[in-house]
Amino acid sequence: MTSAIADPRVPVDTLLERMLPARASDMPLVRNVLVVLAGSALLTISAKLQIPFWPVPLTLQTMVVLCLGMVLGPRLGALAVIAYLAQGAVGLPVFAGTPEKGIGIAYMLGTTGGYLAGFVVAAFVTGLLARRAWDRNVVGTVGAMLVGNAVIYACGLLWLGSVVGWDKPVLAWGMTPFLLGDLAKIAVAAALMPTLWRLFGRGA
């Protein structure tokens, strides 16, 4: 494994594969389905929890999206987010602000739609970075989180500008109020991921 980590061209195990290897499971498909559903449930919880913060209340949703990618890998991480979006699309109140601000496809096509789509891409990208062992130390985790957040903002702002018009203060509405909270979440993830590897990533 040391040689794999040293060579960035060679994919390495994700944390899930160290904790619960598919090859060691009698039913790997069942394992994967349960992991995806658990990830989507965790996303729902993170969307509903609000932490008092300045200048806007803080949710842990983007941190959970990016950490799911790193823990589960690109495929299962993205599938967990897709499962979450599918639940929202059929009308389940899984998103932040639902059902008060609407539900289903109508909500997803609103101003936050680009961020929701960006969640899928960001989980996949951070999963790819985890395959290159970025999640095993503080510096790598910070880098992966920054890349993932950039993906989410890019998708979200492009959609937001298309919906409300580019003559509006798109950055002031869709990015700048959340940057300080994102830095706090990056700090939490930078402590969390290497700690999880030390606890559960035996032989990493």
Side-chain angles (χ1 to χ4, degrees):
M1 180 55 63
T2 302
S3 60
I5 295 174
D7 187 349
R9 297 168 299 177
V10 180
V12 299
D13 287 344
T14 62
L15 188 59
L16 172 69
E17 290 164 344
R18 288 299 182 87
M19 295 171 64
L20 189 62
R23 59 184 175 273
S25 172
D26 293 332
M27 296 181 289
L29 178 60
V30 173
R31 183 210 72 160
N32 290 346
V33 170
L34 291 177
V35 163
V36 165
L37 292 178
S40 68
L42 187 60
L43 270 175
T44 299
I45 294 170
S46 69
K48 298 299 183 179
L49 291 177
Q50 283 201 347
I51 301 170
F53 202 76
W54 184 89
V56 293
L58 185 68
T59 73
L60 300 180
Q61 192 170 30
T62 55
M63 187 185 79
V64 170
V65 165
L66 302 180
C67 286
L68 282 175
M70 286 187 276
V71 171
L72 305 183
R75 184 172 61 90
L76 291 180
L79 284 174
V81 180
I82 290 171
Y84 167 73
L85 297 180
Q87 293 162 23
V90 299
L92 296 179
V94 297
F95 301 132
T98 57
E100 296 83 7
K101 297 181 180 179
I103 57 173
I105 297 296
Y107 178 93
M108 298 176 71
L109 293 178
T111 55
T112 60
Y115 299 96
L116 295 174
F119 287 172
V120 180
V121 183
F124 187 83
V125 168
T126 54
L128 290 177
L129 296 177
R131 289 288 191 193
R132 299 298 182 265
W134 282 42
D135 60 333
R136 302 192 185 192
N137 58 70
V138 171
V139 174
T141 302
V142 169
M145 292 291 291
L146 288 173
V147 171
N149 274 287
V151 169
I152 293 171
Y153 276 124
C155 296
L157 292 172
L158 284 172
W159 179 262
L160 178 62
S162 300
V163 171
V164 303
W166 291 103
D167 57 324
K168 302 296 192 302
V170 174
L171 293 179
W173 289 354
M175 186 177 75
T176 52
F178 308 102
L179 291 177
L180 191 59
D182 285 337
L183 289 176
K185 287 182 278 189
I186 288 172
V188 172
L192 175 65
M193 293 304 303
T195 299
L196 290 177
W197 269 105
R198 285 194 295 270
L199 292 174
F200 301 110
R202 293 176 294 276

